[in-house]
Amino acid sequence: MAEITKSYEAKDVETKWYAAWQEAKCFAGRAAPGQETYTIVIPPPNVTGILHMGHVLNNTLQDALIRRARLEGKAACWIPGTDHAGIATQTMVEKHLKKSEGKGRRDLGREEFLKRVWSWRDEKGDMILQQLRELGCSCDWDRTHFTMDPGYSKAVLTSFVKLFDGGHIYRGKRMVNWCPVSLTALSDEEVEMRPTKGFIYRLRYELVEPATTTDAEGNVIPLTHLILETTRPETIAADVAVAVHPDDPRYQHLVGKRVWRPLGERVQIPIIADIAVDPAFAAGALKVTPAHDKVDYEIGQRHSLPIIDALNADGTLNEFAGPELAGMDRFAGRKKAAEILEASGALIEAKPYENNVGYSQRAGVPIEPRLTQQWWLKYPRVEEAKQVVRDGLIQMHPERWTKVYLNWLDNIQDWCISRQLWWGHRIPVWYAKGIDREQLTEADLRDPTKIHVSLEGPVDPENWTQEDDVLDTWASSWLWPFATLGWPNAEEQAKAGFSQFYPTTTLATGADIIFFWVARMIMAGLEFTGGDDGQGGMTNDECRMTNGATTADPKHSALGIRHSSLSREELARRIPFKHVYFNGIVRDKQGRKMSKTLGNSPDPLDLIAKYGADGLRFGILQIAPLGQDVKFDEDRIEGGKNFCNKLWNACRFRQMSGPMSDNTSLAAILARVDASKLDDDDHALLAALIDTMRTVERGFTEFEFAGATQRLYSFFWNDFCDWYVEVAKARVQDPSVKDHALAVQDLVIREFLLMFEPFAPFITEELWSLLGYVGGTTSVSSSGGPDGAGPSLFLQDTRIETADGLVAALAASGAHVDAAASGRVDKLKQFATLARQLKADQLVAQKRDVKFLALGHHADWLALEKAVSKLTRLVGAVDISRTTEELALPATVTPFGTLYLDTGIKVDPAAERTRLTKELDAITKHIAGTESRLGNVAFTSKAPPAVLDGAKKQLADQQAKRDELTRLLKAL
RNA sequence: GGACUCAUAGCUCAGUUGGUUAGAGCACCUGCUUCACACGCAGGGGGUCACUGGUUCGAGUCCAGUUGAGUCCACCA
């Protein structure tokens, strides 16, 4: 067996084992008949993406879950892949193209441009997956998917056709969120409201027919103009009316009159009354610009107003904005418009103003409400999607997200699924040549002579033109949990093990995409999977209920609530996952989201190089409390590395302490543990181990990883290394218990490595191999893995024991863990600490030749005497012996009576007095507190007996200590 | 406007159903290269648990309110 080096060098270990695991196909998701499965689909990173700290946290969590499942004997399957990420990728390639060739995508044409994107993807697309391997992720790489793969694309188009046939998809000209940079429509979810500083312009709109009004005193005064305020003067030329509230007394008599439009062509526009106007806001009068505002558009519809579109797609103003503004960018145009208005006297005032403006999340510029033809989806299975979460078929962790989820579904609006991009799934719709796409009615959409919708396209392509638009990226990723398992192709589904791995078990993702992705996947799963044909879809009854469901207005389309006719069993079959775990967002120390632009995100690969993949994984999980954002702190990652090194050295020390015996199974190790030789330290250690196992078990079921990692840390470092290994040093010198003592260590290290593996797969695998745990058959409590109880080559082939399983296995070999031992060991730990403290106080901490003398009851000495050989070693003394007389030496009061330190140096009474007085003061305070509690009748009569007894015992101990300190002080 | 989260040591965080003297890591101070580990060992200092009130024999923990930080949804010119 190879000797263990002095410190853990992660790099070589990581490379070696990752290759070995892949070689042995350890990560393959294969399920034996009847075997329990555990499936995770990765949140597919953007194909152009590079690994950032958010990925590290998210994927470490998934890997921990998958690896734990594997150790528990489940058929674990983690499906990796990447997302084509329409806008993000297209933008990136366009930028690159501009830089390297000075060309735009239109210079190349659609086909050529797509070729470039594909070659970009072929070159860089696997980078992030490679980085995940360096992190140790145990994905089944043979199942890697890409949302633009032929098979996946077919799934996407199939879903479109099915939804179209089911009446869920329609086309319509409506106000959308338009991104003037990406030149495409966006869904509401892709728009982010940001407070934005600007100006609000107070303007005079001159009345065509002068009117009168009354002032506060009731005097009739002439009225020549109307005052209103706007933040967008550049759109005034597109105004078609001025609106006031119908009940507003200031303006009622003006309704029906007209004003002069103050900018652009000098035309008259009507004053209308509409309830959308808030009389209390600004001037209480609103300029109506139907082409450039959602509310204005609706007002325009209600009043049959014309629509003037003064903006180009790229956000520049066109000729309708007026000759002075035409061709200008919208922001420059705004300034120019203000200048013109000021010159003409129409501008009364420009006040600094901050309002919420919608920004394109991707491009970071304000979006424009724009009237365009788009494809819309009326979401399927909305009610069922609520039901499965409300009824707990899908559980969210932390649970509070269910409320956010349900609230969104309650207010859901139709989804704009078309994008004016080239990179994506081109919508499988063909228009008959010669028809006017602008004039298509809803009925036309269902007329096969005008519109063709299918997977294969029309049989006579020469007579048709395909839709130019592609689908929103999320309209492909919402199929991820089942399209990666072969849907909709039955043969592929069988090959991928769909029936075994679907529904998947856990989805781990960030809450920032709960609407984008999580909610939509649930609806998609419910719509497309299950059913008698395994292909989802609606039952006949449901088809009848949703007959003629297309609605023109997205706001109201969700009102026609369809009640589920799916049974609970059917719903359970269709859901895409059973648990959703929302990990926090990784932030920097100032609490800012980590981002490329801020440059505050460390490169995970640098961190891996510096601290090892295991150090990084363990470190990040330790600071990732359930559902809370993570403030990244590199010190914690260093802590992860240090812990790995500690583990490494403890194992190294075990190897140096004595020959390795048969470690190939739990049974083999237990055979070497001599139950009759178990002492208090053994019992306390085993009790702590079992407690740790329970904590870790709970950590995985409750997604409390921080708790699990912290217990693993304190168990190994404090319980095992600091105490047990130290006290065992004496026993290992004793031939009569040596084998037994080493066997206990082998047992504990074994169980620890198994528990730790999901968090730190590399170092554990290496130590598993170095310490000879490899090679046996699967463990005693295992019922056999997918391939039966064959020899295990890797740690991850082994079955982990449950805490109960270990208790049972110990009991079967005669080792019943004595729970009371921990208390006795704790007293010895206190004794050791006090003895060291005394040495430090006397400035002889480093001396190892001092003598201790214990003065106490006979029983105390008996307890101490048993541990004397360990204790002398632990505290650094040549001897701890008993004294029956009071000595003039520095002393401390321990749980075993008074302890004197003999350094051979004369005592300094003044210093001693100070030290002891300080201690006495402290204990006196505690006694006062305890006494007053016990003196309170309300407490003694109402507190439970255990608490009461505890308090009494505490008081007695405190008093004994006080008395002894008092005596020591007097003796000085 | 609506929903939610958080506030504990200088920093980052634990603190299970209320119950001894509120813990860890990092940082800081002291001592130590003691034959696993200086990526370490031993010891130490450091907290009115944001504030106010309530429930209770007992509150960091439960309830109400206040303040502060943050997130999501909606959004008016």
Side-chain angles (χ1 to χ4, degrees):
Chain A
M1 208 161 293
E3 207 170 286
I4 299 180
T5 55
K6 188 169 167 175
S7 64
Y8 174 59
E9 299 302 332
K11 187 148 197 331
D12 296 343
V13 171
E14 290 170 8
T15 314
K16 176 179 75 178
W17 284 113
Y18 204 89
W21 295 331
Q22 283 204 281
E23 175 72 17
K25 299 223 172 286
C26 287
F27 307 152
R30 278 191 308 250
Q35 190 185 5
E36 191 180 344
T37 57
Y38 194 101
T39 319
I40 295 178
V41 289
I42 202 169
N46 289 1
V47 68
T48 56
I50 50 166
L51 200 71
H52 58 65
M53 289 312 297
H55 292 125
V56 170
L57 173 61
N58 177 244
N59 288 290
T60 300
L61 287 162
Q62 293 175 69
D63 197 41
L65 287 165
I66 275 289
R67 286 179 180 273
R68 174 78 189 191
R70 211 172 272 135
L71 290 173
E72 286 173 352
K74 295 172 189 161
C77 181
W78 185 9
I79 302 173
T82 47
D83 192 308
H84 69 281
I87 300 183
T89 306
Q90 176 164 322
T91 309
M92 182 176 274
V93 176
E94 274 187 287
K95 258 188 204 161
H96 179 253
L97 209 58
K98 198 95 204 165
K99 222 170 120 187
S100 64
E101 301 179 39
K103 285 182 187 163
R105 66 174 150 126
R106 287 179 204 284
D107 298 326
L108 294 182
R110 187 168 189 145
E111 207 176 316
E112 182 57 27
F113 177 74
L114 286 179
K115 263 191 205 161
R116 303 296 181 93
V117 186
W118 274 108
S119 70
W120 179 277
R121 179 217 95 121
D122 291 342
E123 196 183 325
K124 319 228 170 178
D126 284 336
M127 207 166 92
I128 195 159
L129 301 182
Q130 187 51 42
Q131 291 176 316
L132 289 176
R133 289 180 175 93
E134 298 200 29
L135 189 61
C137 292
S138 59
C139 304
D140 183 350
W141 298 108
D142 293 337
R143 290 176 181 263
T144 302
H145 286 78
F146 174 51
T147 52
M148 291 273 280
D149 280 342
Y152 200 100
S153 295
K154 203 166 174 192
V156 175
L157 301 183
T158 301
S159 72
F160 183 95
V161 173
K162 278 183 183 247
L163 289 166
F164 184 86
D165 292 344
H168 285 275
I169 287 178
Y170 59 93
R171 184 174 178 270
K173 188 166 190 174
R174 282 228 281 279
M175 294 300 274
V176 294
N177 310 298
W178 183 264
C179 176
V181 168
S182 307
L183 301 178
T184 178
L186 300 174
S187 66
D188 293 343
E189 287 69 34
E190 288 165 293
V191 177
E192 192 179 279
M193 301 306 281
R194 287 192 213 159
T196 304
K197 286 197 169 78
F199 291 92
I200 187 159
Y201 302 87
R202 197 170 172 82
L203 301 168
R204 299 163 64 112
Y205 276 46
E206 303 296 333
L207 284 164
V208 175
E209 308 93 352
T212 56
T213 187
T214 38
D215 67 9
E217 277 85 43
N219 304 315
V220 176
I221 50 168
L223 186 67
T224 58
H225 61 267
L226 205 59
I227 290 173
L228 55 79
E229 298 189 8
T230 182
T231 52
R232 303 206 58 187
E234 75 277 16
T235 64
I236 287 175
D239 287 0
V240 294
V242 168
V244 296
H245 193 274
D247 302 335
D248 192 333
R250 292 172 298 174
Y251 302 123
Q252 250 169 0
H253 63 295
L254 296 177
V255 174
K257 297 190 188 312
R258 286 164 300 169
V259 291
W260 292 107
R261 195 159 65 198
L263 198 69
E265 201 188 340
R266 184 171 164 80
V267 297
Q268 302 172 357
I269 54 174
I271 300 170
I272 58 171
D274 194 287
I275 47 155
V277 181
D278 178 359
F281 190 84
L286 174 69
K287 77 183 196 67
V288 181
T289 322
H292 302 299
D293 186 278
K294 220 173 172 178
V295 172
D296 290 14
Y297 175 73
E298 284 161 17
I299 295 175
Q301 293 293 93
R302 282 197 285 272
H303 296 267
S304 307
L305 296 171
I307 294 166
I308 302 173
D309 188 343
L311 280 170
N312 295 316
D314 63 357
T316 57
L317 294 154
N318 62 25
E319 65 275 17
F320 291 108
E324 296 105 320
L325 300 182
M328 295 183 90
D329 178 73
R330 52 192 166 147
F331 302 111
R334 188 170 302 169
K335 271 189 204 147
K336 181 77 183 169
E339 283 166 28
I340 297 168
L341 290 162
E342 189 171 22
S344 72
L347 177 64
I348 301 167
E349 191 188 7
K351 290 177 285 187
Y353 189 70
E354 185 177 284
N355 63 338
N356 271 332
V357 174
Y359 280 73
S360 157
Q361 208 180 46
R362 183 65 50 188
V365 296
I367 55 106
E368 283 296 334
R370 187 158 187 256
L371 198 58
T372 51
Q373 286 281 0
Q374 302 290 345
W375 289 92
W376 300 85
L377 172 67
K378 207 169 83 66
Y379 284 99
R381 305 286 180 188
V382 175
E383 285 311 306
E384 292 93 325
K386 293 183 208 168
Q387 193 189 336
V388 293
V389 171
R390 260 196 310 250
D391 294 356
L393 287 173
I394 296 176
Q395 288 175 39
M396 301 202 173
H397 311 269
E399 205 237 330
R400 62 187 151 86
W401 289 107
T402 59
K403 208 170 163 179
V404 176
Y405 168 87
L406 291 172
N407 182 48
W408 185 74
L409 284 172
D410 281 340
N411 299 293
I412 198 162
Q413 299 204 6
D414 291 357
W415 178 10
C416 176
I417 50 170
S418 47
R419 294 290 177 274
Q420 288 65 53
L421 303 171
W422 288 348
W423 178 241
H425 303 96
R426 195 162 174 179
I427 293 176
V429 170
W430 285 259
Y431 302 95
K433 276 194 175 150
I435 64 155
D436 181 358
R437 291 189 204 177
E438 291 295 309
Q439 301 303 322
L440 285 172
T441 64
E442 276 192 36
D444 291 337
L445 283 186
R446 304 288 153 187
D447 180 346
T449 66
K450 294 177 174 160
I451 294 275
H452 177 92
V453 179
S454 79
L455 219 51
E456 308 78 20
V459 287
D460 50 344
E462 64 281 5
N463 298 321
W464 301 85
T465 315
Q466 190 175 359
E467 168 65 56
D468 294 309
D469 291 355
V470 300
L471 287 169
D472 180 6
T473 295
W474 297 103
S476 63
S477 38
W478 74 327
L479 312 174
W480 190 248
F482 45 93
T484 53
L485 284 167
W487 185 90
N489 184 307
E491 211 173 291
E492 291 295 322
Q493 279 177 270
K495 228 163 82 187
F498 180 93
S499 61
Q500 289 156 306
F501 293 112
Y502 192 90
T504 72
T505 315
T506 301
L507 176 78
T509 187
D512 52 338
I513 52 175
I514 186 170
F515 310 134
F516 274 119
W517 197 45
V518 180
R520 287 169 177 165
M521 278 194 286
I522 292 172
M523 289 185 275
L526 292 169
E527 175 68 7
F528 295 119
T529 71
D532 296 332
D533 56 354
Q535 297 292 303
M538 284 181 285
T539 63
N540 288 335
D541 285 350
E542 288 176 308
C543 280
R544 243 170 271 135
M545 290 159 83
T546 55
N547 192 23
T550 48
T551 320
D553 186 347
K555 271 202 168 159
H556 303 294
S557 67
L559 292 178
I561 288 171
R562 171 157 51 93
H563 289 286
S564 172
S565 58
L566 300 178
S567 65
R568 192 181 162 88
E569 289 68 33
E570 183 58 26
L571 290 171
R573 272 209 288 169
R574 293 186 177 209
I575 51 172
F577 29 73
K578 296 166 193 152
H579 300 274
V580 185
Y581 172 61
F582 291 108
N583 56 253
I585 294 165
V586 183
R587 299 175 179 280
D588 69 7
K589 270 197 159 178
Q590 284 105 57
R592 299 175 305 177
K593 216 166 162 172
M594 285 192 164
S595 75
K596 244 192 279 178
T597 43
L598 278 172
N600 57 353
S601 177
D603 182 347
L605 295 188
D606 290 346
L607 295 174
I608 289 174
K610 221 164 146 187
Y611 305 111
D614 293 331
L616 175 60
R617 292 167 59 115
F618 189 64
I620 194 102
L621 287 193
Q622 255 187 310
I623 51 176
L626 175 65
Q628 234 36 75
D629 285 355
V630 183
K631 271 193 205 150
F632 181 73
D633 182 357
E634 192 169 326
D635 286 346
R636 299 301 290 260
I637 309 301
E638 189 178 357
K641 180 197 176 175
N642 293 350
F643 184 63
C644 288
N645 195 56
K646 187 73 180 177
L647 169 64
W648 184 260
N649 272 288
C651 291
R652 174 169 183 249
F653 185 60
R654 161 62 193 93
Q655 199 184 47
M656 292 164 70
S657 299
M660 304 304 302
S661 307
D662 185 359
N663 266 350
T664 55
S665 69
L666 180 62
I669 300 170
L670 283 173
R672 292 188 285 120
V673 172
D674 185 341
S676 70
K677 289 178 182 161
L678 288 166
D679 67 3
D680 277 359
D681 292 313
D682 291 326
H683 282 288
L685 179 70
L686 292 173
L689 171 67
I690 288 156
D691 176 67
T692 304
M693 291 169 83
R694 289 195 207 287
T695 304
V696 173
E697 282 164 19
R698 198 176 57 237
F700 277 98
T701 55
E702 307 289 319
F703 300 94
E704 300 250 21
F705 298 101
T709 50
Q710 278 162 25
R711 186 69 186 102
L712 284 168
Y713 185 98
S714 73
F715 168 72
F716 195 80
W717 203 309
N718 303 125
D719 298 334
F720 186 63
C721 293
D722 290 348
W723 184 260
Y724 187 84
V725 171
E726 291 303 322
V727 298
K729 279 177 179 173
R731 297 173 82 201
V732 168
Q733 305 299 317
D734 177 352
S736 70
V737 290
K738 177 174 180 170
D739 290 346
H740 162 81
L742 290 177
V744 172
Q745 291 188 28
D746 289 347
L747 170 68
V748 169
I749 291 172
R750 179 186 194 274
E751 298 311 305
F752 182 81
L753 290 176
L754 284 166
M755 272 192 287
F756 195 44
E757 191 264 355
F759 305 107
F762 294 109
I763 189 173
T764 47
E765 189 75 84
E766 175 75 356
L767 289 169
W768 191 258
S769 157
L770 288 170
L771 294 179
Y773 290 113
V774 180
T777 53
T778 50
S779 76
V780 286
S781 66
S782 158
S783 50
D787 305 315
S792 57
L793 297 172
F794 301 101
L795 191 171
Q796 56 183 301
D797 289 339
T798 315
R799 299 294 160 270
I800 195 168
E801 280 72 37
T802 60
D804 291 338
L806 181 64
V807 170
L810 283 165
S813 63
H816 299 274
V817 176
D818 176 6
S822 302
R824 294 191 291 269
V825 170
D826 279 344
K827 279 173 77 177
L828 288 173
K829 286 182 183 173
Q830 283 174 48
F831 178 89
T833 299
L834 286 162
R836 289 162 172 163
Q837 207 173 22
L838 189 57
K839 280 179 69 183
D841 283 340
Q842 302 304 316
L843 307 176
V844 291
Q846 77 281 17
K847 292 187 76 170
R848 303 193 64 81
D849 58 354
V850 299
K851 283 182 189 162
F852 283 103
L853 293 147
L855 172 69
H857 299 295
H858 184 61
D860 288 334
W861 175 249
L862 286 182
L864 214 47
E865 192 180 26
K866 271 200 282 186
V868 136
S869 69
K870 317 173 193 178
L871 288 171
T872 50
R873 192 183 184 107
L874 274 176
V875 304
V878 282
D879 189 34
I880 299 172
S881 52
R882 190 178 187 204
T883 178
T884 49
E885 50 188 296
E886 295 164 13
L887 304 167
L889 288 171
T892 189
V893 181
T894 78
F896 300 98
T898 298
L899 184 70
Y900 294 102
L901 173 63
D902 184 1
T903 59
I905 305 163
K906 206 168 177 294
V907 191
D908 173 0
E912 278 302 282
R913 187 164 292 118
T914 311
R915 189 172 63 83
L916 292 172
T917 306
K918 206 174 133 199
E919 244 188 285
L920 182 62
D921 287 350
I923 198 79
T924 307
K925 234 183 253 170
H926 295 320
I927 289 171
T930 317
E931 273 176 341
S932 88
R933 273 206 308 153
L934 283 166
N936 185 346
V937 186
F939 173 70
T940 50
S941 61
K942 288 189 182 176
V947 174
L948 199 58
D949 289 349
K952 284 181 184 162
K953 168 94 170 50
Q954 183 195 344
L955 183 62
D957 289 349
Q958 288 169 340
Q959 284 170 337
K961 184 161 183 179
R962 178 192 60 193
D963 295 348
E964 185 59 12
L965 283 167
T966 311
R967 191 191 61 71
L968 286 169
L969 268 167
K970 269 190 198 150
L972 277 173

